[in-house]
Structure formats: structure tokens, C-alpha cells
Amino acid sequence: MAAESGRQFWKRSAKLPGSIQPVYGAQHPPLDSQLTKNFIKDRSKASGLPMKSKKASSFHEFARSTSDAWDIGDDEDEDFSSSSSSSSLQTLNSKVAKATAAQVLENHSKLRVKPERCQPALSDLPTNCKVIKSSSEAQLSRTSEEACVRSPLQKQQSLPLRPVIPLVARISDQNASGAPPMTVREKTRLEKFRQLLSSHNTDLDELRKCSWPGVPREVRPVTWRLLSGYLPANSERRKLTLQRKREEYFGFIQQYYDSRNEEHHQDTYRQIHIDIPRTNPLIPLFQQPLVQEIFERILFIWAIRHPASGYVQGINDLVTPFFVVFLSEHVEEDVENFDVTNLSQDVLRSIEADSFWCMSKLLDGIQDNYTFAQPGIQKKVKALEELVSRIDEQVHNHFRKYEVEYLQFAFRWMNNLLMRELPLRCTIRLWDTYQSEPEGFSHFHLYVCAAFLIKWRKEILDEEDFQGLLMLLQNLPTIHWGNEEIGLLLAEAYRLKSSDIPARSCSLLYKAHLNSCLNSERVPVCHSMRLDVPF
């Protein structure tokens, strides 16, 4: 019935957008324009046909021209074959291809790229190569195969060849280097978690300490419920608490969900309905109708119960880590391709309710990010700008030189908690630490963003124009990241937080000033200091 109402609601009209533009990020890696440019140049010289300049005059024009980047190979083949069917053009095309390949091989030998860093040809692949089972694995495999052709033509050295890592399945315990998913050390840590969780009263401080470097997949669901404040520390109360909260959530469904068809809720429901198909489009799990209906209910009920902010684009992304973690509690195989219709109705209801409550707990700490004018995000972006100016003045001045505003790239980092910049497996690992750190999603996230920005300082300083900088910052190459990279990022963020004396001193000074004003029954004159320091 929900599916029928959804189909009836979603109809083409002049008021609704006709298509969904691609969202660039970790899950939408951009096309390597350098290789395409060189090939088009050689082909135009050989054919004698004038080629239109590919350089875009503006950022929006460039974005439009690359909207179908993943289909460019098919389009070029189709156009070229349809333009002429004569054998002379085919021969010419073959010569150009051979000349291009020879040039690539020559450049490859000049750069002395080690053979083990890339795959020279598909024929040289080992016979025990991993079978691609999903769209995300196919995407990663294609990226790895094309890395060899692209590497001589890129400014920076390409990443070393890495094994295929699914975007979701068994991601939390597999490093990007291909290390075994369960080592002796991990087994010891897992046993430590089980002891903590099985105790009569779980020591939450000790649980946070153990969770900071990552939570094992087997105990992550119950650990996240405890760290988010959804479950009590007392083990005897957990079962009754879960039962009560799940019944309460479905009471909200019965009370509010039918109101989505009312006029004053139409805009909210329409925006949710538009955004859900855009959520992790490369992962088949989130394209299933039943999963999308679950997300619609979660987001709509949250929006109804939080009228101060309502639904804001970006909140839809925040449901996915909780949904995947709680789903993994009932699924042993690959999560990203799992058909949720194989689960019982009771299990699906439990996953839906737990995802709603844990997402609500998260948003309670950062709700000012989504209220009118999103003041929380603006304060965090301003704080990021000040922090970067202190820790890396060269990068900060580079942005100022080319008139790049932090809001132009960091707004999405704050609004989506870096979820558009990182694969989902990395987000889940990152949230292990966020839930262990005091004010992790609000305060510590600022230092993670700063460490993430400085991670790419060399690439940033190599770009010498506004468009190049913005495209780099919105398309950072993190598709191969895993536990190792996230661990280093978090360690650097913790170092920045510990050594950020000016921010902490300014924060303490402001708080002391505020307390003195309140004690003397005077109101502080300047509240703008709140924009200058991270709390």
C-alpha cells in the first residue's frame, strides 16, 4: 500500500525536477580528463577535423559537460562508428590508437613505474582473480584497471594497486592493504568487548576507550546502541527498553505517517521522496523499494517530531550507517547485495526503529546544523577556516590567493559529516570514534575536517586556479581508503585537537567572560565570538 501511494505521489510535473544530476564525491569519482584530452587531440590531428575546445568557462559549465562522464567511452565509440563506416577511417582509428598506446608505453618506461604497482594488461591478470559480484566492486575494479593507463599522464603519482574492497560488505574489519580480517590482536579486542557488554552494568567510559580505535563488526550493533545513549548500561533493562522504544516508534508511524498526504506536509515528503534514490546510488541495497520505504518513514517521522528544523537535504545520508550496522546483526553474507525481503517482518521493524532512535540521538547534538539558515554549519566552517590558518598558513593563503571560500567546499563536509567524501565502509569506522569521543559529531568532527584538508596539501598547492581547486576539493580520491587511512586521519585529528591551544584558550576565556556577565546580571555585548571559536 505504501508503494502504491508512493507511485501515485511521484508523477512528472512542471513543478518537479525532471532528472537527478550526479553528485560528485567518493562514490562518484570524476573522469580523468587528461587522458581523454590527449586522445582527442591525437585523433583530431589524424582525422583533420577541427575539435571544439573542451575548456569550460565556468564551474557550472564544466559540471554540465561531465554529467555523463561514465558513459563517455560508449558515446565516443557510437559517434565515431556512426560518422563513417568506411574502412579508411577504421584503419586511421587503428593507427591513432596504436600511436597513443606506444606513447603511453614510452612515458611509462621513462617514469620507471614498478611492475607490481599496476596491471599492464588484462591478459596478464592472474587466473585466481576475484570475481566481481556487485556494481560497487565492478566500479572499483574498473578504477584499478584504468589506473595503469592514467598514471603516466597524471601530475601526481598514482596509488598502489589494491585489492577490491566492497563498499559495505565486511568493510569494518578489512584494511585497505588486504590484511586478514581477524588477527590475534583483533581477537583479543573482541573478547574484551564481549566481557564489557556481558557485565551487569557496562562501564561506558571503558567501552568508549576500547571503541576509539574501532569496534569489531560482531559487537558493533550493541556497542553503537549503548554509545549513542539508546540503550541503558544495565543489561537487565535492555530488552524491555528495546521493546518499549520500538513500540513507541511504530506508534508514531500510526499517528503521523498518513499526514504526509496533507497539504502542509507535501513539501517535506516530496523532498524526502526525491532525495532517497540519491542515497548511495552505487550500492544495490539502498535501491531496493522496501529499503527506500523504510527510509521515507524514518525521515518523515523525524521531520514531524522536530518542527524547528524539519527535513533538510543531507539528513538522509545519516540514516545509512545505522541501517547497515543493524542489518549486519542479522546478515552473514555481503550486506550491499542482500535482499531485505528475505528477512522477517519483525527483524525489519527492529532495524527500522533502532535506526530511527540512534539517528535521532545523533541529530540531537548537531540540530543547529539544520535549523533556519543552518547556523551550526556556518560556525563550524568559520572555525575550520581559523584552524587551518593557524596550522597551515600556506594552504590558507593559497585559498585566499585564488578566492576560494571555505563555505564552497566545507559546507558539504559539515552538512553530511564527510559522508559524500568517504566510502561508506570508512564512514562506519569513523563513527566508531565519533561515538567514543565527547561531542564527536560536533566538536571533534571539526579537527577531522582540518586533518582531512591538510592531507591533500600537496595536491591543493599544485592547483593554480579557482576551478581546479574547487574540483579537487569536491572530488578527492578516497575510493580505495580503508581502516589504515581512517586511523591515520583520526590520529592527526586528535593531535590537532590536543595541540590547538589558541582555540581552547579563547573558548575558556569566552566562557569565563560569559559567566562573569551572568553573575553580575549583565548581558555580554558581543555574541559574535561564538563564531570565532569551536565549542
Side-chain angles (χ1 to χ4, degrees), residues 221-240:
V222 64
T223 302
W224 275 28
R225 291 186 186 105
L226 285 166
L227 293 180
S228 64
Y230 175 43
L231 277 186
N234 188 296
S235 58
E236 295 179 355
R237 296 172 49 204
R238 291 174 192 168
K239 186 176 180 180
L240 289 175

Side-chain angles (χ1 to χ4, degrees), residues 380-395:
K380 290 181 179 68
V381 171
K382 180 65 176 177
L384 177 65
E385 181 177 357
E386 285 205 350
L387 180 58
V388 173
S389 69
R390 292 196 300 270
I391 63 177
D392 199 323
E393 189 177 0
Q394 188 177 4
V395 169

Side-chain angles (χ1 to χ4, degrees), residues 23-30 70 139-140 143 167 280 282 412 418-427 452 473-481:
V23 180
Y24 295 109
Q27 298 161 358
H28 294 270
W70 288 115
Q139 185 64 62
L140 288 168
T143 305
L167 293 178
N280 292 289
L282 290 182
R412 190 172 74 180
L418 287 176
M419 288 192 65
R420 297 286 177 90
E421 280 40 69
L422 299 171
L424 184 55
R425 62 178 178 270
C426 295
T427 298
F452 186 67
L473 292 167
Q474 292 184 351
N475 300 276
L476 293 167
T478 61
I479 189 67
H480 289 289
W481 275 31

Side-chain angles (χ1 to χ4, degrees), residues 6-249:
R7 284 194 296 270
Q8 184 179 2
F9 173 80
W10 180 246
K11 293 181 179 179
R12 298 266 181 179
S13 71
K15 296 181 180 179
L16 297 178
S19 62
I20 297 174
Q21 293 296 322
V23 180
Y24 295 109
Q27 298 161 358
H28 294 270
L31 181 71
D32 191 294
S33 57
Q34 189 67 31
L35 179 60
T36 308
K37 248 190 238 174
N38 287 357
F39 181 75
I40 290 175
K41 249 188 227 175
D42 293 338
R43 196 172 74 180
S44 63
K45 287 178 183 177
S47 61
L49 296 175
M51 297 294 296
K52 188 176 179 180
S53 174
K54 293 285 182 181
K55 188 171 182 180
S57 60
S58 68
F59 172 75
H60 295 290
E61 184 181 342
F62 184 82
R64 287 195 299 270
S65 67
T66 57
S67 61
D68 294 322
W70 288 115
D71 299 327
I72 191 168
D74 298 334
D75 295 341
E76 284 183 354
D77 292 341
E78 185 180 352
D79 294 342
F80 195 78
S81 61
S82 62
S83 62
S84 174
S85 59
S86 64
S87 60
S88 60
L89 279 180
Q90 293 177 356
T91 305
L92 183 60
N93 188 26
S94 176
K95 289 181 180 179
V96 172
K98 288 179 181 178
T100 306
Q103 183 182 0
V104 169
L105 291 175
E106 183 182 354
N107 293 337
H108 182 77
S109 61
K110 287 180 182 179
L111 292 175
R112 298 179 181 178
V113 179
K114 294 182 180 179
E116 63 270 18
R117 292 180 69 86
C118 63
Q119 296 169 320
L122 290 175
S123 59
D124 297 331
L125 287 173
T127 55
N128 60 347
C129 187
K130 182 176 176 66
V131 178
I132 303 301
K133 295 182 180 181
S134 69
S135 60
S136 63
E137 290 183 356
Q139 185 64 62
L140 288 168
S141 178
R142 186 161 85 182
T143 305
S144 299
E145 291 168 7
E146 292 174 351
C148 302
V149 182
R150 294 200 305 260
S151 56
L153 303 174
Q154 287 180 334
K155 294 180 181 178
Q156 49 188 293
Q157 192 175 17
S158 64
L159 294 171
L161 179 65
R162 298 193 173 188
V164 172
I165 308 175
L167 293 178
V168 177
R170 299 194 181 280
I171 50 175
S172 54
D173 298 303
Q174 182 175 3
N175 290 326
S177 60
M182 185 64 73
T183 62
V184 175
R185 179 175 175 273
E186 288 297 323
K187 288 180 180 178
T188 305
R189 293 188 67 245
L190 178 59
E191 186 59 30
K192 173 68 173 176
F193 272 94
R194 284 175 173 162
Q195 290 177 3
L196 281 170
L197 297 173
S198 61
S199 60
H200 180 68
N201 282 299
T202 301
D203 187 344
L204 294 181
D205 290 335
E206 185 65 23
L207 185 62
R208 290 188 185 96
K209 182 179 177 182
C210 293
S211 301
W212 208 100
V215 181
R217 180 181 187 269
E218 292 79 359
V219 294
R220 180 175 276 128
V222 64
T223 302
W224 275 28
R225 291 186 186 105
L226 285 166
L227 293 180
S228 64
Y230 175 43
L231 277 186
N234 188 296
S235 58
E236 295 179 355
R237 296 172 49 204
R238 291 174 192 168
K239 186 176 180 180
L240 289 175
T241 301
L242 283 176
Q243 182 180 354
R244 177 174 55 83
K245 297 299 285 185
R246 288 167 181 172
E247 290 176 356
E248 185 179 354
Y249 168 72

Side-chain angles (χ1 to χ4, degrees), residues 259-270 300 304:
S259 66
R260 68 189 185 280
N261 297 318
E262 296 176 4
E263 185 177 355
H264 58 287
H265 290 151
Q266 277 285 304
D267 290 341
T268 298
Y269 182 69
R270 180 183 63 183
F300 184 77
I304 293 298

